[in-house]
Every structure is written in structure tokens, then in C-alpha cells.
Amino acid sequence: MPKGSNQKLKLYRLAQIMLENTDDDHYITMPEIMSALEAYEVTADRRTIYADLKDLEALGIEVEGEPVGGGYRYHVVERPFELPELKLLVDAIQSSKFITERKTNALIRKLEKLVSKYEAMKLQRQVYVSGRIKTMNESIYYTVDTIHNAISENRKIRFQYFQWNVKKEMELRHDGAYYHISPWGLSWDAENYYLIGYDSEAGKIKHYRVDKMLRLQMSDEKREGKEHFKKLDMADYAKKSFGMFGGREEKVKLLVENTLAGVIIDRFGKDIMLIPSDEEHFTVNVDVHVSTQFFGWIISLGERVKILGPEEVVAQMKEEIQRLARQYS
């Protein structure tokens, strides 16, 4: 029998056909495989295709055949990702404010290629459930990559930083002056990506929204602030900062209703000590960055949480309440 045409592409096309058209619930027969290969202008006989299906295992694609009627049907039995795992990744991408709408759709289309066309439809349906606000800064992916490279090469970065004005226009902060920061890590908090770095001029650790950085470049200068970051637990830093707003770090004592035990544990972790106060309340000491966002969090929990100390923080809480009362009087 004459050798089929486009033989160099046969194994690649066979892998493509099996991955796109089969899964645990969808199978393909040998005549269907041959027909699909012909659509790609690849011709082959059954005998060589049987051998090729076995060869796919060398590419990490395991194909299983099972008898049906007078022949066999085939499907891919294992993939790098299961459908529930990909759904989880799709949800994470959609809920991430720092990923633009265009990039969200592009990433999901790439994830769809990891499953059959039938399972891909289940991922596509999820694209439309999200009406969440997304960043408009398309360069964020290159920004993140540059930050990681700067960290690995122990170098500073420089960038401009912007905010939105009432005209919905980008407005450069510090009159467009460049920020010179030593990057030490990235944190994902409240659906946003933050750079955590050392500001040598201010002599302290600061954080910046990555999607609000512009014209970021790697500097030739070596990073500074290593001694500060030796003492810093990145996860702990994010936990103490409400909405990643800075503030003076304080150990604050709270009186909390028992029903909010889960809320406190979710926020501060299981390592904190909940000390019974009475039958309905407990006290807890937590490290926080005292800010208006922290006070807002306390207010949102209503009468079920009260700040007991230190006195300075209690006084600040009272001032914030009075300010709100004046604002709405």
C-alpha cells in the first residue's frame, strides 16, 4: 500500500483529534479517526493508526480503547488538568481585578485547549457570569514579569504611579516623578496585585497597586532594605493591612461576640488566642495597621465588636465615629 501523505504531521494531528474530540464521556471510532485525519489531508491505514495511538503515550497522552458493537471506540483517559480544576482557575481569573477583560477571555481560551471541545463549552458558559470590574491597564503582565526579574537579579525598579480623577482620566502622582523602589515581593489582596518594596528615601516599607504602575523599568542600582524584609512575614503584612492601606502597626484588643469567631479566624488566622470574656463574648489581641479602613471594618461588624485598647486607638475610633456623625448630620 502506498505510503500516506503528510506523514510528518500524522502523529501531531492524531493527538489533536483525540484531545479535542474525546474525554471520559465522549469517544471516537476508528472510521471517525481516519475521516478526521483526511480532513487534515493526512492519509493512513488502520494498522499504522493502531501503532500511532500507542505512540501517543510517549507524548504523555494515554488513549484507552473499549469494544463496542463489532469494533472499538477510543478516548483520552487522563489529562494534566481535570475539569473541576480548570473551572477553579477560570473563576480565579474572572474574579481578579488586575486581569483585564480582554486578557481574561484570552486566558480562558487557552485553558479551553486543555480539555475536549465538549468540556470547553462548560468553561465558556462561565465567561458570561462575571460582570465584575476589571483593570484597564493591559501592561500589567509585563510589569509583573519585570518585578520578578528585578527581585531575582537583586535590582531596584523605577516607575510612574497614577490615580483616576473625576473625569475618568489617568492622573500621574507626584507630578509624574518616578518612584525608585527596591522590590521584595508581590501580594494578592482584595482581588488586587500589590508590589511590596522598600522606599530608601522614606526609609520604610511601602506597597503599590501593580495595575497603577506605568513605564516600569529595571534599574542598575542594587536593592536596599534587606534588613527590614528579614523581619517581615509577607502574608502577615497583608493580613494586618485592611485593603492594603497603610497605617501605624498596633496590637489592638477587641471584645467580640461569639458568633463572629469565624470572621476573626478568617481574618487573622487560627494562631490567635480567643479568650472567653463572658458567656456571649471573647477578647482577642490582634496586630493591625490602624487606618480608616480598619475602623470601617470594625463599624461594619456593628455592636458585635468593640475596641478595648489601647486608649489611643479607642480615641481614634471615637473621632472617626464623630466625623461620620457630622458628615451625615
Side-chain angles (χ1 to χ4, degrees):
M1 183 175 182
K3 192 174 183 181
S5 61
N6 287 329
Q7 293 300 295
K8 291 181 179 179
L9 294 175
K10 185 174 67 167
L11 198 61
Y12 166 74
R13 290 304 187 187
L14 182 60
Q16 187 178 2
I17 290 164
M18 296 306 299
L19 290 171
E20 287 182 359
N21 295 280
T22 74
D23 52 45
D24 289 342
D25 299 314
H26 299 88
Y27 297 75
I28 190 169
T29 63
M30 183 57 69
E32 289 171 333
I33 292 173
M34 295 178 70
S35 177
L37 283 171
E38 287 176 7
Y40 288 118
E41 299 181 347
V42 176
T43 57
D45 59 27
R46 289 172 176 265
R47 179 177 53 81
T48 59
I49 294 176
Y50 287 133
D52 290 334
L53 287 172
K54 291 183 179 180
D55 289 342
L56 287 180
E57 290 190 20
L59 301 176
I61 304 170
E62 185 179 351
V63 176
E64 186 178 81
E66 65 175 43
V68 55
Y72 273 78
R73 62 180 188 175
Y74 304 87
H75 73 127
V76 174
V77 294
E78 192 171 339
R79 294 171 187 265
F81 290 93
E82 296 178 9
L83 184 60
E85 293 173 328
L86 291 175
K87 285 182 177 179
L88 187 65
L89 291 175
V90 167
D91 286 343
I93 291 168
Q94 287 180 323
S95 64
S96 302
K97 288 183 179 179
F98 66 84
I99 302 179
T100 64
E101 196 66 42
R102 188 176 71 86
K103 194 64 175 179
T104 292
N105 292 328
L107 289 173
I108 292 173
R109 284 195 295 272
K110 290 178 181 180
L111 291 178
E112 288 169 6
K113 294 178 181 178
L114 299 176
V115 291
S116 70
K117 62 184 180 183
Y118 308 103
E119 292 185 329
M121 292 173 63
K122 298 176 182 178
L123 295 179
Q124 290 167 2
R125 283 202 296 270
Q126 294 193 356
V127 175
Y128 306 104
V129 304
S130 174
R132 299 159 186 155
I133 295 171
K134 298 291 231 174
T135 180
M136 287 174 275
N137 185 354
E138 281 287 345
S139 65
I140 186 171
Y141 317 102
Y142 308 106
T143 298
V144 169
D145 189 51
T146 301
I147 291 171
H148 279 300
N149 288 338
I151 291 173
S152 65
E153 296 183 28
N154 195 37
R155 288 159 66 181
K156 287 184 179 181
I157 56 174
R158 60 193 302 269
F159 56 88
Q160 290 176 302
Y161 204 54
F162 77 86
Q163 60 190 7
W164 295 104
N165 62 24
V166 293
K167 295 179 181 178
K168 301 179 184 177
E169 298 170 334
M170 286 184 181
E171 192 174 78
L172 292 176
R173 301 185 67 174
H174 292 181
D175 296 321
Y178 276 81
Y179 291 66
H180 295 260
I181 302 296
S182 298
W184 287 93
L186 287 159
S187 177
W188 189 357
D189 184 84
E191 299 178 3
N192 288 308
Y193 226 165
Y194 292 88
L195 161 72
I196 299 178
Y198 181 73
D199 184 335
S200 305
E201 191 175 326
K204 63 180 181 180
I205 296 166
K206 292 185 177 180
H207 53 260
Y208 306 85
R209 278 266 297 271
V210 174
D211 59 299
K212 293 189 175 183
M213 296 178 178
L214 294 174
R215 303 175 187 89
L216 183 139
Q217 302 169 359
M218 197 188 303
S219 166
D220 291 329
E221 297 179 61
K222 295 294 184 183
R223 286 188 303 172
E224 297 177 320
K226 184 176 181 179
E227 63 281 359
H228 291 269
F229 279 86
K230 279 183 178 178
K231 308 170 187 176
L232 182 70
D233 182 323
M234 296 287 282
D236 191 52
Y237 178 83
K239 180 175 67 178
K240 294 173 184 176
S241 303
F242 285 75
M244 290 301 285
F245 279 82
R248 186 184 68 261
E249 184 173 330
E250 291 273 6
K251 185 175 288 294
V252 176
K253 185 175 184 179
L254 304 175
L255 177 67
V256 187
E257 193 175 286
N258 291 342
T259 56
L260 291 185
V263 172
I264 298 299
I265 291 171
D266 286 344
R267 176 73 222 192
F268 298 103
K270 278 188 169 182
D271 293 337
I272 57 170
M273 186 176 295
L274 309 183
I275 304 169
S277 178
D278 56 43
E279 291 185 359
E280 297 179 352
H281 299 84
F282 63 86
T283 61
V284 60
N285 294 298
V286 293
D287 293 315
V288 301
H289 292 157
V290 178
S291 65
T292 54
Q293 283 66 38
F294 166 64
F295 294 137
W297 180 74
I298 293 293
I299 291 170
S300 73
L301 298 174
E303 60 185 14
R304 293 184 291 173
V305 176
K306 181 180 179 181
I307 300 175
L308 297 180
E311 290 184 9
E312 184 181 349
V313 177
V314 174
Q316 286 179 267
M317 181 79 241
K318 289 178 180 178
E319 288 175 13
E320 180 63 13
I321 293 169
Q322 290 168 2
R323 184 192 67 77
L324 289 170
R326 289 192 300 271
Q327 184 174 338
Y328 289 96
S329 63

